[in-house]
Amino acid sequence: MITATQIRGARAMIGMSIEELAAASGLPVETVTALENGEFAGEPHALFDVRSTLEANGIIFLSSGNQDEGGPGIRLRARSSSDDGIRPENLNAANDD
């Protein structure tokens, strides 16, 4: 199970608003807000939909047993695209955005 804090943190990590998460997961904004406030009762499908949406956007949920210290957490999935960005030796003022 994921926590309300993980949901809020995951959404913030990928720069998604509550409205965007609600639309992407097919849920009302009020339901997503309730999940972020820890009000999971009666909404098991909603929690699954939110988790699936966040995972589809690159979030990996960590349970408390996944790390040596600390509790549940989140992280971004490693990029799998061939675009690794600009190599350090190729950085210059022309490609500085």
Side-chain angles (χ1 to χ4, degrees):
M1 179 142 144
I2 61 174
T3 67
T5 303
Q6 285 176 297
I7 295 170
R8 285 191 310 272
R11 185 176 57 76
M13 186 178 279
I14 58 176
M16 186 179 267
S17 70
I18 288 180
E19 293 79 13
E20 291 168 332
L21 178 56
S25 61
L27 298 168
V29 172
E30 295 78 18
T31 300
V32 175
T33 301
L35 292 174
E36 286 196 359
N37 290 328
E39 300 163 5
F40 296 119
E43 298 291 341
H45 70 87
L47 187 59
F48 175 80
D49 292 343
V50 165
R51 180 180 184 143
S52 297
T53 300
L54 292 168
E55 288 175 336
N57 282 278
I59 295 295
I60 296 173
F61 290 94
L62 306 171
S63 67
S64 59
N66 286 353
Q67 303 296 321
D68 291 334
E69 293 182 23
I74 55 173
R75 71 178 181 90
L76 287 173
R77 186 177 319 123
R79 281 202 262 177
S80 60
S81 72
S82 61
D83 178 19
D84 290 332
I86 300 171
R87 302 216 27 101
E89 61 270 14
N90 295 328
L91 290 174
N92 57 48
N95 57 33
D96 187 18
D97 290 349

